[in-house]
Amino acid sequence: MNQELDLKTSLTEKIKLQFKKFSENGVVSEPNWLKEYRNLGCTNFEKLGFPTQSDEEWKYTNISPVIKSEFNLTGLKSDSINLSKSDFSKYIISNSYTFVFVNGQFVSSLSVVPNEEGIEVASIKEIIKTNPEILEKYIGKVIELENNSFASLNSTFFTDGIFIQVNESKKLSKPIEILYLSVNENNSPRITHPRNCIIVKKNGMLDFTEHYVSLNSNKNLTNVVTELFLEENTKCNHIKIQNEVNKAFHFGNTAISQKATSEFFTFSFSLGGLISRNQIILNLDGEKSNSNMNGLYISTSNQLHDNHTLINHKTPKCNSRELYKGILYDESKSVFNGKVYVHSIAQKTDSKQTNKNLLLSENATIDTKPQLEIFADDVKCTHGGTVGGIDVNSLFYMKSRGISTKSAEALIALGFASEVTETIENLDLRKYVDTLIVDRLEKSYGNISLPIIAHSS
Amino acid sequence: MLQINNLYAAVTGKKILNGITLTVNPGEVHAVMGPNGSGKSTLAQILAGHPAYEILDGEIIYEGQNLIALEAEKRSQAGLFLAFQYPVEIPGVSNSYFLKTGLNEIRKSRGEQPLDAMEFLKLIREKMKLVEMNESFINRPVNHGYSGGEKKRNEILQMAVLEPKLAILDETDSGLDIDALKVVANGVNKLRSKDRSMIVVTHYQRLLNYIVPDFVHVLMNGRIVKSGGKELALELEAFGYDKIKEEFVNGVNA
């Protein structure tokens, strides 16, 4: 305990010092509200420190390897990295606009930026300079820093990210891909704090993908906060792909506010990283809004994938569907903690939450905790979780057609995963995600060859 | 082709088969009938190699080799096929990929060249006509979201593509309306040949009006209690299983 206290004291000193340095280092010209917000983040983090397993929300996720890595928490580092598109072309999703970030900083020369009427897109760094008033209305308005170490840290030190505002009744001709490349050219571990702020105004529509990859195998930590504001009658499809190197740490906080009759689909795919955690807080803030929250984690070797979700039914007549699936190999570990919270005012809530896991190694572990908290009396809510191996009858069926056990198992795993991508509307995006699933499973089964996923629709 | 000798089997400790003896020669069609719980489907699953069943005694010789020692995929590669009573849904995997993989494994085991995508497409299109299946099923996931009838047709399509030497049809008629039954039976009849044997497992005589067997066996309590020609099925239809049960209990056939 004393040691923990000592660590915390030294961490407090460290962040104070680093924040001082950070503040002197160029944020002097920032508006006061932003300075105050950073201060709030810093104070919060000083209070909280990094989470430990004695914290109920972190019970199954041990992040001591992160703490031991001695990151420079500010993320500030001057480096000149020259990339050309061919260095990352395989991460570019076809028929999307691409916003490329290298080590957390926007690089316009590598990006393909939309120039369409009614859509404002820029880097956060740019917006802080040119139009901070618009940011002030949104930054920190849906993400809560209280009890959230990583979001507090992000709020203290973020310098860049994406800002998208879709104006009333507008939509883009194609989706936006936000590509975060980690290129750590020396061995000292580095941290980035991307901050994304997305607004879809009344009747607008948006499809976008957050895509996190590493271009080399050095250790890095991505600590991202994404805030989404969906106004009345909007539609938004969001995909997040975490495909960083197996040494990386990834902490993601996504917070969404959905107004009346809006529709939101999100798919979170955890593939890379050594320790990664995605936390999504979805607020159904307007009547008759609909939400679909899907997720997939494929965990191998000693990876740890943690997904924490909260669906907050705050208004009547909203629907939410949540389906998270996991495939675990080797000594990997996954955590699913999903809470559906139905406030007393949220009558006629219709909610279904499911978590299914395919456990394919005796040494892999899954901790699954679907939770329902209901304070309204006229609702329809179900939830459930399953953990199991390859279905014996499916395996027998395939073998009885001449297919070997190994191929059959890989195909069954493929089929298991296919359910969560089936509902991705944009077919280019679906195909991209499906290809990632196939690649990963081919590797997991010793480089066998697998087909593209066949969907029913 | 197939010789089952005094076969005893159990599932989760419960004895289901109590000494089955059956010989099937090339080109013959044998119907195995019996009331619910008599062990018909168990026999079908054991022949195909379902791992849940424990063989307590007896032997199964298929084309001179001990079938019990073979894994399910090896049995398939040796020319054995089971049309499932409840075909399994495999989401994410297209019918064509599934069948092409199976067929090429079988061809490989016989030392034949695997078919390429074009050759296979030609083959599956041709075989689909046999069971009057729409070509859209080529790319649809295996049995996923199919109706009961579509699943059964798909089983016969698989049989047509894999061209087994011994086909076991497990309650292929269950859940089919009369039109679908005719289509399926018609497909099966076109696959009859002097080298191909079939075991048709069914509860009702109805299917046997369309797939006319050479022999009929009645299974009760895990034993064949009566064997005969196709007329035995008609007798069962007229008098039900109870009459045979009585004879059996009275020792007439015991």
Side-chain angles (χ1 to χ4, degrees):
Chain A
M1 200 61 210
N2 273 336
Q3 205 187 348
E4 211 171 86
L5 211 65
D6 284 350
L7 271 173
K8 204 165 169 184
T9 317
S10 69
L11 185 66
T12 309
E13 291 309 312
K14 185 176 164 184
I15 190 173
K16 270 188 181 153
L17 207 70
Q18 294 191 348
F19 184 52
K20 190 163 170 272
K21 227 185 202 169
F22 177 86
S23 305
E24 289 162 357
N25 226 322
V27 294
V28 273
S29 57
E30 285 184 352
N32 278 334
W33 68 265
L34 185 52
K35 284 182 190 163
E36 278 164 25
Y37 186 63
R38 292 188 191 284
N39 262 319
L40 177 70
C42 187
T43 319
N44 242 321
F45 185 80
E46 280 174 34
K47 201 169 66 197
L48 297 168
F50 281 113
T52 63
Q53 285 180 281
S54 53
D55 179 345
E56 185 64 28
E57 290 295 308
W58 292 80
K59 197 173 166 187
Y60 301 106
T61 300
N62 177 4
I63 63 158
S64 59
V66 175
I67 300 163
K68 282 186 198 135
S69 295
E70 290 286 325
F71 289 98
N72 171 352
L73 298 174
T74 66
L76 287 179
K77 201 170 181 183
S78 57
D79 47 12
S80 53
I81 289 158
N82 282 313
L83 291 180
S84 66
K85 277 197 180 171
S86 58
D87 294 324
F88 58 89
S89 54
K90 68 171 172 174
Y91 302 116
I92 296 177
I93 302 170
S94 51
N95 297 318
S96 281
Y97 291 112
T98 324
F99 281 79
V100 179
F101 289 79
V102 178
N103 292 333
Q105 304 300 311
F106 177 59
V107 183
S108 86
S109 60
L110 296 173
S111 301
V112 180
V113 176
N115 182 15
E116 294 187 28
E117 194 217 334
I119 319 285
E120 287 156 50
V121 206
S123 70
I124 288 285
K125 188 177 268 172
E126 177 77 19
I127 286 286
I128 292 173
K129 277 190 216 136
T130 58
N131 194 358
E133 296 78 22
I134 199 170
L135 265 191
E136 189 182 0
K137 285 199 276 182
Y138 296 104
I139 288 285
K141 294 300 187 291
V142 60
I143 185 87
E144 284 176 23
L145 301 188
E146 203 186 333
N147 292 323
N148 193 332
S149 302
F150 284 98
S152 296
L153 204 55
N154 175 287
S155 301
T156 314
F157 293 124
F158 75 87
T159 54
D160 215 346
I162 193 95
F163 172 85
I164 305 173
Q165 180 172 286
V166 177
N167 288 335
E168 198 173 317
S169 303
K170 298 291 179 187
K171 67 172 204 184
L172 276 173
S173 61
K174 49 186 184 179
I176 291 178
E177 177 187 7
I178 309 153
L179 183 56
Y180 283 99
L181 303 168
S182 290
V183 198
N184 191 358
E185 289 199 323
N186 52 47
N187 270 321
S188 67
R190 80 173 297 157
I191 191 167
T192 56
H193 303 285
R195 182 83 180 206
N196 302 313
C197 180
I198 321 277
I199 303 126
V200 185
K201 297 268 197 187
K202 211 172 155 185
N203 301 324
M205 276 171 77
L206 178 68
D207 281 14
F208 77 104
T209 303
E210 291 176 66
H211 195 179
Y212 298 85
V213 297
S214 317
L215 292 186
N216 53 26
S217 61
N218 291 326
K219 192 190 272 182
N220 62 284
L221 187 154
T222 304
N223 175 34
V224 54
V225 171
T226 300
E227 291 183 275
L228 260 126
F229 303 86
L230 307 178
E231 291 191 354
E232 284 81 10
N233 208 33
T234 51
K235 189 174 174 184
C236 178
N237 294 307
H238 168 236
I239 291 174
K240 177 174 177 182
I241 304 167
Q242 187 277 103
N243 192 14
E244 292 171 304
V245 71
N246 275 17
K247 269 188 199 166
F249 305 119
H250 184 101
F251 296 90
N253 276 284
T254 306
I256 306 111
S257 165
Q258 258 188 276
K259 291 285 161 58
T261 66
S262 60
E263 276 184 43
F264 180 54
F265 171 86
T266 182
F267 172 64
S268 175
F269 189 9
S270 303
L271 196 55
L274 179 65
I275 297 174
S276 100
R277 167 151 162 151
N278 276 309
Q279 189 157 309
I280 304 178
I281 296 173
L282 173 75
N283 297 296
L284 294 161
D285 289 325
E287 287 193 17
K288 294 183 187 166
S289 44
N290 275 313
S291 248
N292 265 285
M293 201 187 257
N294 282 6
L296 177 66
Y297 37 98
I298 304 180
S299 318
T300 60
S301 60
N302 55 345
Q303 286 184 299
L304 165 62
H305 288 139
D306 177 342
N307 284 286
H308 267 65
T309 66
L310 168 63
I311 300 177
N312 240 332
H313 279 268
K314 291 178 169 175
T315 45
K317 299 177 191 161
C318 295
N319 296 326
S320 65
R321 292 287 175 274
E322 181 173 13
L323 175 66
Y324 266 72
K325 284 188 153 189
I327 306 176
L328 286 84
Y329 298 94
D330 311 321
E331 284 97 45
S332 66
K333 195 178 165 179
S334 292
V335 178
F336 174 80
N337 185 308
K339 191 188 276 184
V340 175
Y341 194 103
V342 183
H343 294 247
S344 57
I345 189 182
Q347 299 295 358
K348 307 276 181 203
T349 286
D350 185 336
S351 172
K352 187 180 178 193
Q353 183 196 49
T354 315
N355 173 235
K356 294 180 184 170
N357 297 282
L358 202 49
L359 202 57
L360 297 177
S361 155
E362 278 180 15
N363 301 317
T365 350
I366 167 81
D367 291 293
T368 173
K369 194 177 177 190
Q371 303 169 76
L372 262 177
E373 286 188 41
I374 304 173
F375 297 94
D377 49 22
D378 183 14
V379 300
K380 205 166 94 188
C381 295
T382 61
H383 70 151
T386 61
V387 179
I390 293 281
D391 175 56
V392 179
N393 288 319
S394 304
L395 186 63
F396 172 56
Y397 188 63
M398 299 195 113
K399 287 176 66 156
S400 79
R401 300 306 183 243
I403 299 172
S404 71
T405 305
K406 194 163 103 173
S407 296
E409 283 191 10
L411 288 170
I412 291 165
L414 184 82
F416 178 83
S418 71
E419 190 189 357
V420 283
T421 64
E422 177 118 355
T423 40
I424 297 177
E425 261 180 35
N426 182 293
L427 296 185
D428 290 306
L429 299 181
R430 184 167 85 177
K431 195 174 160 198
Y432 190 86
V433 173
D434 281 352
T435 308
L436 290 178
I437 295 173
V438 169
D439 285 350
R440 168 52 66 95
L441 293 180
E442 282 178 339
K443 282 196 196 93
S444 301
Y445 288 91
N447 290 319
I448 62 166
S449 151
L450 289 171
I452 55 162
I453 292 176
H455 289 288
S456 304
S457 55
Chain B
M1 167 121 357
L2 180 75
Q3 176 71 50
I4 304 173
N5 290 324
N6 205 28
L7 185 69
Y8 286 80
V11 64
T12 55
K14 188 171 179 269
K15 268 185 159 187
I16 311 262
L17 300 187
N18 296 302
I20 293 216
T21 296
L22 177 69
T23 302
V24 178
N25 294 310
E28 291 176 355
V29 174
H30 290 246
V32 174
M33 302 185 69
N36 291 333
S38 59
K40 306 185 298 284
S41 285
T42 297
L43 178 63
Q45 302 241 344
I46 283 175
L47 288 173
H50 196 294
Y53 298 94
E54 192 192 347
I55 308 296
L56 303 172
D57 200 7
E59 58 177 9
I60 309 172
I61 307 297
Y62 169 76
E63 297 218 299
Q65 49 183 336
N66 173 16
L67 200 64
I68 293 166
L70 297 183
E71 288 260 328
E73 68 267 36
K74 298 290 174 207
R75 300 185 194 197
S76 168
Q77 289 160 15
L80 198 136
F81 179 87
L82 171 66
F84 280 54
Q85 181 181 6
Y86 303 110
V88 178
E89 296 193 12
I90 315 281
V93 181
S94 74
N95 243 335
S96 68
Y97 182 85
F98 174 64
L99 261 181
K100 183 164 140 273
T101 306
L103 177 64
N104 281 339
E105 288 291 339
I106 293 168
R107 291 177 67 93
K108 229 166 41 191
S109 74
R110 293 188 198 140
E112 295 167 6
Q113 280 294 314
L115 295 187
D116 66 26
M118 289 311 292
E119 290 167 326
F120 180 77
L121 201 60
K122 192 167 167 262
L123 176 76
I124 193 171
R125 281 197 172 127
E126 184 191 304
K127 302 291 188 189
M128 283 180 118
K129 288 181 194 143
L130 211 69
V131 280
E132 299 176 24
M133 265 173 96
N134 187 298
E135 281 193 10
S136 67
F137 283 92
I138 292 177
N139 293 318
R140 282 178 59 181
V142 181
N143 297 325
H144 189 59
Y146 295 15
S147 70
E150 286 165 348
K151 283 181 182 170
K152 293 299 174 80
R153 280 185 208 208
N154 204 29
E155 292 296 289
I156 305 307
L157 169 69
Q158 294 177 24
M159 173 176 159
V161 169
L162 300 180
E163 299 189 320
K165 292 178 195 162
L166 173 64
I168 303 142
L169 310 182
D170 188 7
E171 309 236 5
T172 295
D173 50 334
S174 69
L176 290 186
D177 62 34
I178 191 70
D179 293 327
L181 180 71
K182 280 182 188 167
V183 172
V184 166
N186 191 28
V188 172
N189 284 330
K190 283 184 188 153
L191 295 169
R192 282 178 82 155
S193 82
K194 64 174 178 30
D195 305 314
R196 180 170 294 136
S197 311
M198 294 187 192
I199 298 173
V200 181
V201 173
T202 181
H203 184 89
Y204 300 104
Q205 188 268 339
R206 187 178 73 150
L207 178 69
L208 305 180
N209 288 334
Y210 301 97
I211 304 171
V212 180
D214 301 305
F215 302 95
V216 175
H217 311 278
V218 180
L219 204 63
M220 272 182 191
N221 298 322
R223 290 186 66 182
I224 291 175
V225 294
K226 193 165 186 176
S227 294
K230 62 185 178 200
E231 65 288 346
L232 179 56
L234 294 169
E235 198 181 306
L236 280 173
E237 182 75 359
F239 302 107
Y241 287 110
D242 286 346
K243 182 165 172 274
I244 294 188
K245 206 180 266 172
E246 257 168 51
E247 289 173 20
F248 182 51
V249 171
N250 294 337
V252 178
N253 277 286

